[in-house]
Amino acid sequence: MLIILRQGDALKDAERVRAFLARSGLEASTVDLGDRLALSVVGVNGSPFPANVESLPEVERVVPVSRPPRLAAFRDDDPPRGVRIGDRAVGAGRFAIIAGPCAVEDEGLLLEAAAAARDYGADMLRGGAFKPRSSPYSFQGLGARAYEMLARAGQETGLPVVSEVMDQASLSAAVECIDLLQVGSRNMQNFNLLRLVGRSGKPVLLKRGMSATLEDLLLSAEYVLSEGNQSVILCERGIRTFSGHSRFTLDLSLIPALREVSHLPIVVDPSHAVGRREGVPPMARAAAAAGADGVMIEVHPDPARALSDGAQALRPEDLARLVPELRSLVAGAAPLRETGA
Amino acid sequence: MLIILRQGDALKDAERVRAFLARSGLEASTVDLGDRLALSVVGVNGSPFPANVESLPEVERVVPVSRPPRLAAFRDDDPPRGVRIGDRAVGAGRFAIIAGPCAVEDEGLLLEAAAAARDYGADMLRGGAFKPRSSPYSFQGLGARAYEMLARAGQETGLPVVSEVMDQASLSAAVECIDLLQVGSRNMQNFNLLRLVGRSGKPVLLKRGMSATLEDLLLSAEYVLSEGNQSVILCERGIRTFSGHSRFTLDLSLIPALREVSHLPIVVDPSHAVGRREGVPPMARAAAAAGADGVMIEVHPDPARALSDGAQALRPEDLARLVPELRSLVAGAAPLRETGA
Amino acid sequence: MLIILRQGDALKDAERVRAFLARSGLEASTVDLGDRLALSVVGVNGSPFPANVESLPEVERVVPVSRPPRLAAFRDDDPPRGVRIGDRAVGAGRFAIIAGPCAVEDEGLLLEAAAAARDYGADMLRGGAFKPRSSPYSFQGLGARAYEMLARAGQETGLPVVSEVMDQASLSAAVECIDLLQVGSRNMQNFNLLRLVGRSGKPVLLKRGMSATLEDLLLSAEYVLSEGNQSVILCERGIRTFSGHSRFTLDLSLIPALREVSHLPIVVDPSHAVGRREGVPPMARAAAAAGADGVMIEVHPDPARALSDGAQALRPEDLARLVPELRSLVAGAAPLRETGA
Amino acid sequence: MLIILRQGDALKDAERVRAFLARSGLEASTVDLGDRLALSVVGVNGSPFPANVESLPEVERVVPVSRPPRLAAFRDDDPPRGVRIGDRAVGAGRFAIIAGPCAVEDEGLLLEAAAAARDYGADMLRGGAFKPRSSPYSFQGLGARAYEMLARAGQETGLPVVSEVMDQASLSAAVECIDLLQVGSRNMQNFNLLRLVGRSGKPVLLKRGMSATLEDLLLSAEYVLSEGNQSVILCERGIRTFSGHSRFTLDLSLIPALREVSHLPIVVDPSHAVGRREGVPPMARAAAAAGADGVMIEVHPDPARALSDGAQALRPEDLARLVPELRSLVAGAAPLRETGA
């Protein structure tokens, strides 16, 4: 951490700031920048550093020199292992295709979707039980009952199942039925929920908030990781921008940016971002080509009858065409990490 | 609701869509637009209308003709009454100044801030007990203990107190101590929490999410209102944009836009949006001049010592100068609703 | 165009609005929506429709029923032909790789870059002559001299050349030397320039403005097309958002969205959007997989010596690896237009 | 400028970077940050510093220590003087109200608007002659003829006149007729135009681009200032965000942020940002209260007949009510610059 002082009576100022830091147990050495002084504090890793140094009158700016160590951060001696969900894996060279309806609506339709997912080569089955909806008057999902239907559909097809949890109550119901716990975009900074899923011992799929930066997303992952749960998968699902041709703007360049700072796998949800069926396969292919570790795709046996987001759901035959395209894209991809400077 | 059909075999298409609507108990009349047909459905108020009509192959677009009735919506025969908090009110001509530290840090500092708030003319005292922080390693607040300190500071100064709640546990602790329950930006779409504060019977201050539209904000208010709790105050606190000179972009034009569609009062938090002390008084004045029903301002007896967001806190003497400016701005304001077309 | 009237004395209101429309030579038929009236105006194509109808006191809202006919709009009987540049083509199944330095700096480096572009399989050579720079104190390019160097490099390698024009003067200099005229992001709404390149008779590469919607981009293309110049290629190069991990947010979902409304080819510039070399190949691959008609990539023989944007330039050996990856991605892609609803 | 080196063979690395800098004539001293080295370069003011230092393999990051000197930057020994336009001034305590129609449509309407502007207390008359319109099929303004009408209206009412210029041709026509040359948002980075108005010797009103940062805006001003033209007024007119309740999001916190880094006056255009008449007076008042040096307001004698943007134009009687409100807000405002740290 480098503390750049304002121009002024620099030596006295440096003394005062050094005394302030000493109260937090920190030692600082003086650095001469030519036209002003700075103080260099080594061995500080973000958390205990007093955030208010920057508001001292003597201080112009505080510049972090090294990144703070993070549980989400890539370490060279520890190659990515991916996250295991049942007998499947995401990351470390395994590309996961998660498919299923936006919301579980009835058991028959779910089994139909699950069979299509299995038959056409998906790796996991998704389905919403509790739906966080902007309006209290919209369909809110079938609740805990849907977790049980998912569990049965998973057993029948051999696919691990993914579903969102929203609080302690839904988590308690999900933990017996669901293999991969999803934390939705609207809850990405629901820090209590992050701690709860961290303690659950189950793998977690953490969706990026619609206005979250890469740093925000990693810090939210840190809440889960710091509870001792290493099985965290991130999910890009589009951000809020002025651009109106898609519901959200899918920010695929998050993928290479993430590779430079974290070992966590990342999957992409093109369905919610694009919001129209026609745009989903191109963006799923783009995600695979950009180096994602998987995609999450909405599929419905009869989109026109879907109670929620039917316009963006693929039909089973669309999935049948898309899966081999994605597998072949991933097979042909160059290594994710570029060499050299 | 007007359902515009694609150009094609229009009469047959209209029949098919009409049959689809009939399954949801809706009647539609055919409308001739000259080069195509449409179906007009009257008496639909958003919720029961099947959202998937738009994904039928025969349908080009669905156009809402009237706004759905809402609990948050202004009704002409029901003049705004404002929201009462103890012996104070917000809205309906009452401008509320809420002041206090970002986080409650210790009882002495809190009492000092509370005395300044009272002496310099604020209406309510704010202070954070549970702080939702992006990083798990940042100071998270003193928790329930801080609610009790706030209650004592409120009693001592005669000021109602405002503090954030995050879940069932913090709500249970807050309900005895806190007069106005705040739901923070990161929880604006934590729908379970909205329902809980709706049932609490206490007034609620609902902060706009950093990527929420006006519509999203009103729908979140609807979660509280639909539990029978009419005491909802909205709060603009800045949105996420590319613009980097302030931490968030304070979107004051929300105020006149809101006046056209809702009777709910709205206050503005310039402190978090601007992020630097120097910018807070100008933006507080701007909020008052734009017609806000109040402002929420961070004040700290010694900002350089603050554990959280010291750089944006006003000093007590800054508050002393700002309060009369705001009172005089509000007194001189023209009526909020413009006449004419 | 459907004009929905406010609730009120509807028949009289309809009469007044109808009279207003008649003054512009428009006929309107009354449409009964059940709880209100509307007026339907057929055969209006955007331009002559009086924009101020919406501000009449009787009018609640104006709803476009059909899209206005556009020169940029796809017509089914007219399959995409792509844009020809010399003996190359972009679009209609031809994927173009445009490579070269950000700015032309000296003839030796340019020839080196051009040779690498040709040897490693690029289709065209790019290079900036006039650089629009945010600061007047930054390197502004070599000017018209650089066009001549590009022309020589193009002759030597057999590659058509692409370079930006900024005004009448640079256009006059470019027209003899440059095969594909680029209009930059900052000039996307420089309408005089659009008309000038429209009249030049040369193919035009129109980059999306950093805050332009799809509609804005198509309307800017319309300025070029309406001068009789059909050779317009669009270019996605990233939009301004809050997301800070890349310089701009590459909005690849523009590609499928564009396919539904326009026949114009679209290429993607990942170099400026991402801003870091490591992120360029993944995003170039993603663009190809999303269905782009080409990519524009910065390549420099010695990025560390580049005068402009060296951090984002690929080295020649990076290009050598990327080109075959892109060719193979494009070969394996499914048809761009999905079938069905 | 502080160049922080990567961890590694630091002394050798420092030597290589120092040699690189020497080729640009820069001297650097080594700074020990404890766990790594840095190089400090003093006396560099942005422009000659080689931008590609950051892309050297030895360099982790380049941190600016001091801001570069700028013509737009406040200097303490040089109090703001404001900008003079004819016998009026903007800034340095003078609050300017600029009023008039969006576009000049015919001389009668213009004179009517001009008389209202004068009678109701505005300081200047605005009116568009060349209208940059997104669509080539929209009304594009009357062109040079409108400048002459403005000049006559200005003479008749004694008000200086403001109008937009777009290129050399419109500038040549404007220079005899127009007192304050406006550069529009879409041309904020049309650097040739900036240089041309810089050389014109006339005062310039520079509107912020819809995705421009504060820094971008100041750098564009620098293009004008560096031609020797000190009479530059900035104008905030709303930025592009996801927020849909207003056409653009008026970013009033630009005002206090600008005060800290520049002496240039700033006015606010609420009409285009809000897009609806009802929202204009509240936002004009907010601009005044935030410390703006003026507002630019669209006024039309008969908005329902306006050819361009009628929905946002105030009627003359609205202006009559607004002007005294603004004057009284400005009179009561506290000094713009807060004291203390």
Side-chain angles (χ1 to χ4, degrees):
Chain A
M1 203 66 70
L2 192 70
I3 301 163
I4 298 174
L5 302 182
R6 289 175 194 271
Q7 280 171 317
D9 191 349
L11 282 176
K12 258 198 200 153
D13 288 352
E15 226 28 69
R16 268 197 299 270
V17 176
R18 202 202 301 270
F20 180 89
L21 292 166
R23 291 209 295 271
S24 303
L26 296 169
E27 283 181 41
S29 57
T30 308
V31 170
D32 185 353
L33 300 181
D35 61 351
R36 61 184 67 207
L37 292 186
L39 291 171
S40 175
V41 185
V42 183
V44 170
N45 61 5
S47 43
F49 192 77
N52 47 351
V53 169
E54 197 142 18
S55 63
L56 293 175
E58 297 86 359
V59 172
E60 168 114 9
R61 218 141 47 93
V62 175
V63 178
V65 170
S66 337
R67 291 177 189 280
R70 290 266 181 76
L71 298 169
F74 192 82
R75 282 181 288 161
D76 291 321
D77 54 346
D78 183 17
R81 291 156 307 166
V83 168
R84 300 204 67 81
I85 299 113
D87 59 350
R88 315 280 164 141
V90 180
R94 303 290 296 270
F95 185 86
I97 300 174
I98 306 171
C102 179
V104 175
E105 297 163 2
D106 72 49
E107 192 143 11
L109 281 171
L110 179 65
L111 287 172
E112 219 179 310
R118 179 201 51 202
D119 293 350
Y120 298 138
D123 299 293
M124 285 185 248
L125 174 68
R126 62 148 289 152
F130 294 87
K131 300 297 300 175
R133 299 300 293 270
S134 300
S135 164
Y137 309 127
S138 299
F139 173 61
Q140 309 270 325
L142 298 182
R145 225 155 40 91
Y147 290 146
E148 291 161 21
M149 294 180 192
L150 281 163
R152 285 192 293 269
Q155 275 169 333
E156 198 151 305
T157 54
L159 299 178
V161 294
V162 187
S163 196
E164 181 167 353
V165 292
M166 291 175 67
D167 51 14
Q168 176 66 67
S170 58
L171 175 60
S172 301
V175 85
E176 292 303 304
C177 300
I178 303 303
D179 301 293
L180 174 57
L181 303 174
Q182 178 179 318
V183 173
S185 293
R186 290 167 182 77
N187 280 319
M188 191 202 83
Q189 294 196 315
N190 181 336
F191 302 115
N192 289 334
L193 179 61
L194 295 174
R195 286 209 182 87
L196 287 172
V197 297
R199 285 178 213 137
S200 74
K202 306 219 80 163
V204 174
L205 180 73
L206 176 62
K207 294 187 99 170
R208 181 185 185 186
M210 62 184 85
S211 59
T213 63
L214 169 52
E215 177 73 1
D216 292 337
L217 176 59
L218 286 176
L219 284 171
S220 284
E222 206 75 9
Y223 270 91
V224 181
L225 296 163
S226 65
E227 297 291 336
N229 186 341
Q230 300 309 310
S231 297
V232 177
I233 302 167
L234 306 176
C235 179
E236 162 63 28
R237 47 77 72 198
I239 57 175
R240 269 257 159 103
T241 73
F242 67 85
S243 187
H245 60 77
S246 55
R247 195 192 289 149
F248 297 96
T249 296
L250 201 63
D251 179 17
L252 292 179
S253 56
L254 185 78
I255 299 168
L258 183 74
R259 296 294 181 213
E260 298 187 30
V261 293
S262 175
H263 65 281
L264 298 179
I266 179 159
V267 303
V268 172
D269 172 354
S271 303
H272 283 90
V274 174
R276 292 182 345 279
R277 178 176 313 121
E278 289 73 14
V280 171
M283 298 314 288
R285 292 192 291 256
D293 297 301
V295 291
M296 183 150 76
I297 306 268
E298 294 196 1
V299 178
H300 193 284
D302 185 359
R305 281 190 294 153
L307 291 179
S308 162
D309 284 339
Q312 75 201 31
L314 295 194
R315 294 154 302 194
E317 61 268 32
D318 299 321
L319 183 69
R321 242 181 307 137
L322 180 60
V323 169
E325 287 176 10
L326 295 177
R327 298 288 181 211
S328 118
L329 272 169
V330 173
L336 298 173
R337 298 184 63 93
E338 307 300 313
T339 61
Chain B
M1 204 66 69
L2 193 70
I3 301 164
I4 298 174
L5 302 182
R6 290 175 194 271
Q7 281 171 317
D9 191 350
L11 282 176
K12 257 198 201 153
D13 288 352
E15 227 27 70
R16 268 198 300 270
V17 176
R18 200 201 301 272
F20 180 88
L21 292 165
R23 291 209 295 270
S24 303
L26 295 169
E27 283 181 39
S29 56
T30 308
V31 171
D32 185 353
L33 300 182
D35 60 350
R36 62 184 67 208
L37 292 186
L39 291 171
S40 176
V41 185
V42 183
V44 171
N45 61 5
S47 44
F49 192 77
N52 46 351
V53 168
E54 198 143 18
S55 63
L56 293 174
E58 297 86 0
V59 172
E60 168 113 11
R61 219 139 47 94
V62 176
V63 178
V65 170
S66 338
R67 289 177 188 280
R70 290 266 180 78
L71 298 169
F74 193 81
R75 282 181 287 162
D76 290 322
D77 54 345
D78 183 16
R81 292 156 306 167
V83 168
R84 300 205 67 80
I85 299 113
D87 59 349
R88 315 280 163 140
V90 180
R94 304 289 296 270
F95 185 87
I97 300 174
I98 306 171
C102 179
V104 175
E105 296 163 2
D106 73 50
E107 192 144 11
L109 281 171
L110 178 64
L111 287 172
E112 219 179 310
R118 179 202 52 204
D119 293 350
Y120 298 139
D123 298 294
M124 285 184 248
L125 174 67
R126 62 148 289 153
F130 293 87
K131 300 297 302 173
R133 300 299 294 272
S134 300
S135 164
Y137 310 126
S138 298
F139 173 60
Q140 309 269 326
L142 299 182
R145 220 151 48 87
Y147 289 146
E148 290 162 22
M149 294 180 192
L150 281 163
R152 285 193 292 271
Q155 275 169 334
E156 198 151 305
T157 54
L159 299 177
V161 294
V162 187
S163 196
E164 181 167 354
V165 292
M166 291 175 66
D167 52 14
Q168 177 66 68
S170 58
L171 175 59
S172 302
V175 84
E176 291 302 303
C177 300
I178 302 303
D179 301 291
L180 174 58
L181 302 174
Q182 178 179 318
V183 173
S185 294
R186 289 168 183 76
N187 280 317
M188 192 203 84
Q189 294 196 316
N190 181 336
F191 302 115
N192 290 333
L193 179 61
L194 295 174
R195 287 209 182 88
L196 287 173
V197 297
R199 285 177 213 138
S200 74
K202 307 221 79 165
V204 173
L205 180 74
L206 176 62
K207 294 187 99 170
R208 181 185 186 186
M210 62 185 85
S211 60
T213 63
L214 169 52
E215 178 73 1
D216 292 337
L217 176 59
L218 286 176
L219 284 171
S220 284
E222 206 75 8
Y223 270 90
V224 182
L225 295 163
S226 65
E227 297 291 336
N229 186 342
Q230 301 308 311
S231 298
V232 176
I233 303 167
L234 305 175
C235 180
E236 161 64 28
R237 47 75 75 198
I239 57 175
R240 270 257 160 104
T241 74
F242 66 86
S243 187
H245 59 77
S246 55
R247 195 192 289 150
F248 297 97
T249 297
L250 202 63
D251 179 17
L252 292 179
S253 57
L254 185 79
I255 299 167
L258 183 74
R259 296 295 181 212
E260 298 186 30
V261 293
S262 174
H263 64 281
L264 298 179
I266 179 159
V267 304
V268 171
D269 172 355
S271 303
H272 283 90
V274 174
R276 293 181 345 277
R277 179 177 310 122
E278 291 73 13
V280 171
M283 298 314 288
R285 292 192 292 258
D293 297 300
V295 290
M296 183 149 75
I297 306 269
E298 295 196 0
V299 178
H300 193 284
D302 185 359
R305 280 190 294 153
L307 291 179
S308 162
D309 284 340
Q312 75 201 31
L314 295 194
R315 295 152 303 195
E317 61 268 31
D318 300 321
L319 183 68
R321 243 181 306 137
L322 180 60
V323 169
E325 288 176 10
L326 295 176
R327 298 288 181 210
S328 118
L329 272 168
V330 173
L336 298 172
R337 298 184 65 91
E338 307 299 314
T339 62
Chain C
M1 204 66 68
L2 191 70
I3 301 164
I4 298 174
L5 303 181
R6 289 176 196 270
Q7 280 171 317
D9 191 349
L11 282 175
K12 260 197 198 152
D13 289 352
E15 226 27 70
R16 269 197 299 269
V17 176
R18 201 199 301 272
F20 180 89
L21 292 166
R23 291 209 295 270
S24 304
L26 295 169
E27 283 181 42
S29 57
T30 308
V31 171
D32 185 354
L33 299 181
D35 60 350
R36 63 184 67 209
L37 292 185
L39 291 170
S40 175
V41 186
V42 183
V44 170
N45 62 4
S47 44
F49 192 77
N52 46 353
V53 170
E54 197 143 19
S55 63
L56 294 175
E58 298 86 0
V59 171
E60 168 115 9
R61 216 138 49 93
V62 176
V63 178
V65 170
S66 338
R67 291 177 188 281
R70 291 265 179 76
L71 299 169
F74 192 82
R75 282 182 288 159
D76 290 322
D77 54 346
D78 183 17
R81 292 156 307 167
V83 169
R84 300 206 65 82
I85 299 113
D87 58 349
R88 315 279 165 142
V90 181
R94 304 288 296 271
F95 186 86
I97 300 174
I98 306 171
C102 179
V104 175
E105 297 163 2
D106 73 50
E107 192 143 12
L109 280 171
L110 179 64
L111 288 171
E112 218 178 311
R118 179 201 51 203
D119 293 349
Y120 298 138
D123 299 292
M124 285 185 247
L125 174 67
R126 60 149 289 154
F130 294 87
K131 300 298 299 174
R133 300 300 294 270
S134 300
S135 164
Y137 309 126
S138 299
F139 173 61
Q140 309 270 327
L142 298 182
R145 218 151 49 86
Y147 290 145
E148 292 160 22
M149 295 181 192
L150 279 162
R152 285 193 291 271
Q155 276 168 334
E156 196 150 309
T157 54
L159 299 178
V161 294
V162 187
S163 196
E164 181 166 355
V165 293
M166 290 174 68
D167 51 15
Q168 177 65 68
S170 57
L171 175 60
S172 302
V175 85
E176 291 304 303
C177 301
I178 302 303
D179 302 291
L180 174 58
L181 302 174
Q182 178 179 319
V183 174
S185 294
R186 288 166 183 77
N187 280 319
M188 191 202 83
Q189 294 195 316
N190 182 335
F191 302 115
N192 290 334
L193 180 61
L194 295 175
R195 287 210 183 84
L196 287 172
V197 297
R199 285 177 213 137
S200 73
K202 305 220 80 163
V204 174
L205 180 73
L206 176 61
K207 294 187 100 171
R208 181 185 186 186
M210 63 185 84
S211 60
T213 62
L214 168 53
E215 178 73 2
D216 292 337
L217 176 61
L218 286 176
L219 284 171
S220 284
E222 206 74 9
Y223 271 91
V224 182
L225 296 164
S226 65
E227 296 292 336
N229 186 340
Q230 302 308 311
S231 298
V232 177
I233 302 167
L234 306 176
C235 180
E236 161 65 26
R237 47 76 73 200
I239 57 175
R240 269 256 159 105
T241 73
F242 66 85
S243 187
H245 59 77
S246 54
R247 195 193 288 152
F248 298 96
T249 297
L250 201 63
D251 179 17
L252 293 179
S253 56
L254 187 77
I255 299 167
L258 183 74
R259 296 293 181 213
E260 298 187 30
V261 294
S262 174
H263 65 280
L264 298 179
I266 179 159
V267 303
V268 172
D269 172 355
S271 303
H272 283 90
V274 174
R276 293 183 343 279
R277 177 176 313 123
E278 289 74 13
V280 171
M283 297 315 288
R285 292 192 291 256
D293 297 301
V295 291
M296 183 150 74
I297 305 268
E298 295 196 359
V299 178
H300 195 284
D302 184 358
R305 281 190 292 152
L307 290 179
S308 165
D309 285 339
Q312 76 202 28
L314 295 194
R315 296 153 302 197
E317 62 267 31
D318 300 321
L319 183 68
R321 242 181 306 138
L322 181 60
V323 169
E325 287 176 11
L326 296 177
R327 298 286 182 213
S328 117
L329 272 168
V330 173
L336 296 173
R337 299 184 62 92
E338 305 300 314
T339 62
Chain D
M1 205 65 69
L2 192 70
I3 301 163
I4 298 174
L5 303 181
R6 289 176 195 270
Q7 281 171 315
D9 190 350
L11 282 175
K12 259 197 199 153
D13 288 351
E15 226 28 69
R16 269 196 300 267
V17 176
R18 202 201 301 271
F20 180 88
L21 293 166
R23 291 208 296 269
S24 304
L26 295 169
E27 284 181 40
S29 57
T30 307
V31 171
D32 184 354
L33 299 182
D35 60 351
R36 63 184 67 207
L37 291 187
L39 292 170
S40 175
V41 185
V42 182
V44 170
N45 60 5
S47 43
F49 191 77
N52 46 353
V53 169
E54 197 143 18
S55 63
L56 293 174
E58 298 86 1
V59 172
E60 167 114 10
R61 216 139 48 93
V62 176
V63 178
V65 169
S66 338
R67 291 178 188 281
R70 290 266 179 75
L71 298 169
F74 193 82
R75 282 181 288 161
D76 289 323
D77 54 346
D78 183 15
R81 292 156 306 167
V83 168
R84 300 205 65 81
I85 299 112
D87 60 349
R88 316 278 164 142
V90 180
R94 303 287 297 270
F95 186 86
I97 299 173
I98 306 171
C102 178
V104 175
E105 297 163 2
D106 73 49
E107 191 143 13
L109 280 172
L110 179 64
L111 287 172
E112 217 178 310
R118 179 201 51 202
D119 294 349
Y120 298 138
D123 299 291
M124 285 184 248
L125 174 67
R126 61 149 288 152
F130 294 87
K131 300 298 299 174
R133 299 299 294 271
S134 300
S135 165
Y137 310 126
S138 298
F139 173 62
Q140 310 270 327
L142 299 182
R145 219 152 46 88
Y147 289 145
E148 292 161 22
M149 295 181 192
L150 280 163
R152 287 194 291 271
Q155 275 168 334
E156 197 150 308
T157 55
L159 298 178
V161 294
V162 187
S163 196
E164 181 166 355
V165 293
M166 290 175 68
D167 51 13
Q168 177 66 66
S170 58
L171 175 60
S172 302
V175 84
E176 291 304 303
C177 301
I178 302 303
D179 302 292
L180 175 58
L181 302 173
Q182 178 179 318
V183 174
S185 295
R186 288 167 183 77
N187 280 319
M188 191 202 84
Q189 294 195 317
N190 182 334
F191 302 116
N192 290 334
L193 180 60
L194 295 175
R195 287 209 182 86
L196 287 173
V197 298
R199 285 175 214 139
S200 73
K202 307 221 79 165
V204 174
L205 180 72
L206 176 61
K207 294 187 100 170
R208 181 185 186 185
M210 63 185 83
S211 60
T213 62
L214 168 52
E215 178 73 2
D216 292 336
L217 177 60
L218 286 176
L219 284 171
S220 285
E222 206 75 8
Y223 270 90
V224 182
L225 295 163
S226 65
E227 297 292 336
N229 187 341
Q230 301 308 309
S231 297
V232 176
I233 303 167
L234 306 176
C235 180
E236 161 65 26
R237 46 77 72 198
I239 57 174
R240 270 258 159 103
T241 73
F242 66 86
S243 187
H245 59 77
S246 54
R247 195 191 290 151
F248 297 97
T249 296
L250 201 64
D251 179 18
L252 293 179
S253 56
L254 186 78
I255 301 167
L258 183 74
R259 296 293 182 214
E260 297 187 32
V261 294
S262 174
H263 65 281
L264 297 179
I266 179 159
V267 303
V268 172
D269 172 354
S271 302
H272 283 90
V274 174
R276 294 184 341 279
R277 178 177 311 123
E278 290 74 13
V280 171
M283 297 315 287
R285 292 193 291 258
D293 297 301
V295 291
M296 183 149 75
I297 306 268
E298 295 196 359
V299 178
H300 194 283
D302 185 358
R305 282 190 292 152
L307 290 179
S308 162
D309 285 340
Q312 76 200 29
L314 295 195
R315 295 152 302 195
E317 61 267 31
D318 299 323
L319 183 68
R321 241 180 308 136
L322 181 60
V323 169
E325 287 176 12
L326 295 176
R327 298 287 182 212
S328 118
L329 271 168
V330 173
L336 297 172
R337 298 184 62 92
E338 306 299 314
T339 61

